[in-house]
Amino acid sequence: MENGTMPSYFYFTLFKDFFHLRYFLVIVTLSVYFSILLFNVIILYVVFKERRLHEPMYILISCLSVNDLFGSTGFFPRLIIDILSNTNVISRSACFVQIYIIYTYAISEYTILSLMAYDRYVAICNPLKYHKTMTSKVITLYIVIASLYAMFSMGLAIFFSARLPLCGTDIARLYCSNWSVVRLSCGVSTSTNNIMGFLVTTTTVFLPALFILYTYVKILIICQKSSKEFRGKALQTCLPHIVSFVNYSIASFCDIALSRYDSDKYKIAGIVFSVEFLVLPAVFNPLIYGLNLPEIRKHILCLFRRSKIAHFPCK
């Protein structure tokens, strides 16, 4: 088919294979979504309620929770609707809105993790300059720049994708993705889209990942030259971030690798990996930081009136 059109709707083709399990899937999906909401809202409440937590590291942790809530809200409500639907139709505009939300979340996740790595780098490698370097104004400026770049880069990518004439309407995923729309194009070259995708991926995934690895190599070198007590404190604050970074990197890599590979033989695995980068970070990030950072853990215990059995006082 050489002459493409601009279809008004897209059709998700995966849901029909699991229609007989739709009520079970709705229960599982709602459980996961409510868990994400609960865990991240608790982190946000504790950080903003306690003035002693109004420091760069905890502010960035709260930004991570806000971003996880943003990405999850762009995915789960629509997923529940599609599970219960008989047609699994999504309008063109809603599809591109979903792409924008999910991929802006994905880009922001890496930029926030990069800022957190820089915060730990300054705190451990240049502790005397930390309070001058990492001020509230500086952190706010970094967050604003990172957010604006994520919104601009994804807006530009969607602009090029939305102009493509399409020869199909079937999307073999649980949600709209940029590549799933681009691959439906016909009659025109997609080289511009490929170049744009490469630039966005390089600047928002690979460069931040390299920067994070660089900061932790520097931190490791400093720790090797320091006392055992210093290494223990550094590890305590860095370990949650390292776990978050590794978890998100693996999840996002699986999505990128599988987004261009279709196989009915591995359909279940493909579905799981395609949503892993949306689900795992949003569930595990608040648990990782809530359980591993003493200040947050202490205030969470106080929040649930369990301070009497905790080893940390409320005040």
Side-chain angles (χ1 to χ4, degrees):
M1 186 174 182
E2 296 186 2
N3 295 322
T5 60
M6 297 290 185
S8 301
Y9 296 93
F10 294 101
Y11 299 89
F12 294 118
T13 60
L14 287 179
F15 293 97
K16 61 183 180 181
D17 296 329
F18 305 98
F19 187 77
H20 60 290
L21 297 172
R22 58 178 177 169
Y23 295 114
F24 170 74
L25 294 176
V26 166
I27 293 173
V28 172
T29 303
L30 281 173
S31 300
V32 174
Y33 184 45
F34 284 140
S35 298
I36 290 171
L37 292 177
L38 176 63
F39 296 159
N40 285 283
V41 166
I42 288 174
I43 293 293
L44 287 172
Y45 177 78
V46 168
V47 171
F48 283 98
K49 181 177 181 292
E50 301 297 330
R51 295 184 62 86
R52 285 180 293 180
L53 299 183
H54 294 180
E55 298 178 2
M57 180 174 69
Y58 300 109
I59 292 173
L60 289 170
I61 290 172
S62 65
C63 287
L64 204 62
S65 288
V66 170
N67 191 54
D68 289 337
L69 290 173
F70 174 69
S72 300
T73 303
F75 171 66
F76 281 100
R78 178 71 213 190
L79 177 64
I80 294 170
I81 292 173
D82 287 321
I83 291 174
L84 294 174
S85 173
N86 293 321
T87 57
N88 307 127
V89 176
I90 184 171
S91 68
R92 179 184 178 85
S93 58
C95 183
F96 282 112
V97 168
Q98 188 178 54
I99 292 172
Y100 184 80
I101 293 174
I102 289 177
Y103 282 88
T104 301
Y105 149 80
I107 293 171
S108 298
E109 195 82 356
Y110 257 123
T111 53
I112 295 171
L113 289 173
S114 298
L115 291 175
M116 295 173 75
Y118 179 67
D119 175 76
R120 291 300 85 203
Y121 168 76
V122 176
I124 294 171
C125 299
N126 297 289
L128 298 179
K129 298 181 179 180
Y130 179 77
H131 292 291
K132 291 183 179 180
T133 304
M134 303 300 290
T135 64
S136 298
K137 290 183 178 180
V138 170
I139 286 295
T140 302
L141 178 62
Y142 287 161
I143 293 171
V144 170
I145 292 174
S147 300
L148 289 176
Y149 180 73
M151 292 187 289
F152 172 76
S153 58
M154 270 317 302
L156 196 60
I158 289 176
F159 171 76
F160 284 104
S161 298
R163 299 175 63 191
L164 292 173
L166 307 180
C167 289
T169 57
D170 292 347
I171 296 177
R173 302 200 73 176
L174 296 180
Y175 59 91
C176 286
S177 68
N178 194 50
W179 175 245
S180 63
V181 174
V182 171
R183 70 186 305 169
L184 295 175
S185 65
C186 59
V188 296
S189 172
T190 60
S191 57
T192 303
N193 299 79
N194 293 333
I195 293 172
M196 179 60 62
F198 175 77
L199 290 175
V200 171
T201 303
T202 300
T203 57
T204 61
V205 177
F206 296 120
L207 289 182
L210 290 174
F211 175 77
I212 293 171
L213 291 174
Y214 169 78
T215 59
Y216 276 99
V217 168
K218 299 289 287 186
I219 290 172
L220 181 61
I221 293 173
I222 294 295
C223 289
Q224 287 180 335
K225 300 177 181 178
S226 304
S227 64
K228 184 177 181 181
E229 182 181 359
F230 180 87
R231 288 197 298 270
K233 291 181 178 179
L235 179 63
Q236 188 178 51
T237 59
C238 291
L239 184 60
H241 180 264
I242 294 173
V243 173
S244 295
F245 169 65
V246 172
N247 175 37
Y248 185 71
S249 295
I250 293 174
S252 58
F253 173 78
C254 289
D255 178 69
I256 293 171
L258 290 170
S259 64
R260 303 198 176 198
Y261 176 77
D262 290 330
S263 176
D264 292 335
K265 185 178 180 181
Y266 304 107
K267 183 178 291 186
I268 300 297
I271 292 172
V272 171
F273 285 124
S274 69
V275 300
E276 187 181 16
F277 83 108
L278 282 161
V279 177
L280 290 187
V283 172
F284 288 112
N285 282 346
L287 294 178
I288 291 168
Y289 291 107
L291 295 176
N292 283 280
L293 295 180
E295 283 297 319
I296 292 182
R297 183 171 68 244
K298 176 179 66 176
H299 291 297
I300 289 176
L301 290 172
C302 292
L303 179 64
F304 287 99
R305 301 175 183 271
R306 293 190 295 187
S307 59
K308 292 183 180 180
I309 63 172
H311 294 292
F312 301 98
C314 285
K315 300 294 183 181

